[in-house]
């Protein structure tokens, strides 16, 4: 009888060591969905820091490109979390004898993925997304905003005639009025894409609402939502002209300061 109790105690102790315990970590989800399940906005502190670098008027093009790349990586992991996988056979080298291999089962993304950068600024998001999903195809769409009516004008389109894509990721760092991204999403639907994700760093509240009103089924992953939209259709504070800042075709201030020289406080020594 005592032996039976001893065996039961050992079994209970063993079970206790293998039972999953609740993690004491205070780590929380890095994204919130304030506008429904299809819209995810980051609240990660490191991304918030990178966003300040990206916004700063004194960030030079090389630093701007680096910050955009890192932010895209962060947002891209979240945006691609809905992809599915299928099992594939793989072999793993043995640690004791590298000439021998162990059979195993790996995973491979099931969907055919396409990246749709909106020229020019979307180009800065392509490389980090390709590193995440290296089997994706890239199809460029060029748009510019008509200043008189704020409507998009298409000047370039490299979508193939036949759609061989299951999931498309529209890449555009900034959503202002959303007229451009709304137009691109409409084009992709007509092309035949069944699932569309929009990946953007900053979106205006007004533009995001308009996008969801016209395309409620689209998935959106963002770094932050800005409240204000100017009469000229610019997000405030936004980040300026992303294309100019990405390729150095606009005015750039000092690299090591976070405030433009025109906004710095002057001292007596400056007079």
């Amino acid at each position: 009888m005592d032996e039976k109790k001893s065996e039961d105690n050992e079994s209970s102790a063993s079970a206790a060591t293998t039972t999953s315990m609740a993690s004491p970590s205070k780590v929380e989800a890095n994204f919130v969905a304030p506008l429904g399940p299809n819209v995810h906005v980051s609240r990660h502190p490191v991304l918030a820091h990178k966003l300040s670098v990206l916004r700063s008027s004194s960030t030079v093009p090389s630093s701007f490109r680096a910050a955009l790349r890192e932010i895209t990586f962060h947002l891209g992991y979240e945006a691609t979390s809905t992809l599915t996988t299928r099992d594939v056979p793989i072999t793993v080298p043995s640690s004791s004898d590298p000439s021998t291999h162990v059979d195993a089962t790996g995973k491979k993304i099931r969907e055919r993925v396409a990246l749709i950068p909106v020229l020019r600024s979307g180009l800065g998001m392509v490389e980090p997304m390709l590193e995440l999903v290296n089997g994706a195809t890239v199809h460029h769409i060029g748009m510019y905003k008509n200043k008189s009516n704020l409507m998009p004008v298409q000047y370039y389109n490299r979508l193939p005639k036949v759609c061989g894509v299951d999931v498309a990721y529209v890449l555009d760092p900034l959503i202002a009025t959303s007229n451009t991204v709304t137009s691109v999403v409409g084009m992709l639907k007509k092309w035949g894409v069944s699932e569309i994700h929009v990946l953007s760093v900053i979106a205006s509240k007004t533009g995001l609402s308009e996008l969801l009103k016209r395309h409620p089924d689209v998935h959106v992953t963002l770094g932050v939502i800005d409240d204000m939209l100017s009469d000229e259709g610019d997000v405030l504070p936004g980040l300026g002209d992303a294309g100019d800042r990405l390729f150095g075709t606009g005015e750039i201030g000092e690299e090591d300061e976070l405030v433009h020289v025109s906004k710095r406080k002057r001292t007596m020594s400056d007079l």
Side-chain angles (χ1 to χ4, degrees):
M1 187 69 177
D2 291 339
E3 291 180 359
K4 181 67 168 67
K5 287 183 179 179
S6 177
E7 290 177 358
D8 290 342
N9 290 337
E10 289 179 1
S11 297
S12 298
S14 177
T17 58
T18 57
T19 301
S20 297
M21 303 294 289
S23 172
S25 173
K26 295 183 179 179
V27 175
E28 299 178 351
N30 292 331
F31 284 80
V32 292
L35 299 175
N38 285 355
V39 180
H40 294 85
V41 183
S42 175
R43 59 180 183 182
H44 198 289
V46 173
L47 187 133
H49 170 82
K50 296 294 183 182
L51 272 169
S52 296
V53 175
L54 200 70
R55 288 187 193 269
S56 174
S57 56
S58 53
T59 297
V60 296
S62 59
S63 299
F64 187 91
R65 289 191 293 270
L68 181 58
R69 173 188 174 84
E70 292 168 352
I71 291 170
T72 302
F73 251 108
H74 178 79
L75 299 177
Y77 268 109
E78 176 66 18
T80 54
S81 64
T82 58
L83 295 174
T84 61
T85 60
R86 58 184 176 86
D87 292 344
V88 293
I90 63 173
T91 57
V92 182
S94 170
S95 57
S96 58
D97 182 4
S99 65
T100 62
H101 301 270
V102 179
D103 291 333
T105 300
K107 302 289 183 180
K108 187 174 183 179
I109 292 174
R110 187 188 304 272
E111 292 86 356
R112 297 168 297 174
V113 177
L115 307 179
I116 315 294
V118 179
L119 305 180
R120 293 179 296 164
S121 56
L123 291 174
M125 304 175 74
V126 173
E127 186 180 348
M129 285 298 293
L130 278 176
E131 292 191 19
L132 286 174
V133 191
N134 56 14
T137 57
V138 182
H139 306 299
H140 302 83
I141 294 179
M143 293 273 193
Y144 70 87
K145 181 173 63 178
N146 187 320
K147 293 184 178 181
S148 62
N149 58 12
L150 303 183
M151 295 304 294
V153 178
Q154 178 183 303
Y155 65 89
Y156 191 77
N157 185 334
R158 290 296 293 173
L159 293 177
K161 291 184 179 180
V162 179
C163 176
V165 173
D166 300 311
V167 183
Y169 292 88
V170 180
L171 309 179
D172 196 350
L174 199 65
I175 298 176
T177 62
S178 83
N179 290 335
T180 295
V181 71
T182 296
S183 177
V184 171
V185 170
M187 291 167 55
L188 293 176
K189 286 184 174 180
K190 290 181 179 179
W191 188 42
V193 183
S194 58
E195 185 175 334
I196 301 171
H197 293 248
V198 173
L199 197 67
S200 191
V201 179
I202 300 173
S204 73
K205 184 180 294 184
T206 300
L208 184 58
S209 297
E210 287 298 316
L211 171 62
L212 296 175
K213 185 185 302 182
R214 296 182 62 178
H215 299 291
D217 56 334
V218 74
H219 298 262
V220 184
T221 304
L222 301 167
V224 70
I225 299 174
D226 281 355
D227 291 332
M228 298 181 64
L229 188 66
S230 71
D231 294 337
E232 292 76 25
D234 297 323
V235 184
L236 299 176
L239 51 76
D241 188 306
D244 281 345
R245 302 195 63 192
L246 188 67
F247 298 109
T249 53
E251 182 180 355
I252 303 296
E254 298 294 328
E255 181 177 14
D256 59 347
E257 297 290 340
L258 290 179
V259 180
H260 191 268
V261 63
S262 63
K263 296 296 184 180
R264 296 175 195 158
K265 293 181 181 180
R266 300 186 67 187
T267 65
M268 291 301 294
S269 61
D270 295 323
L271 300 177

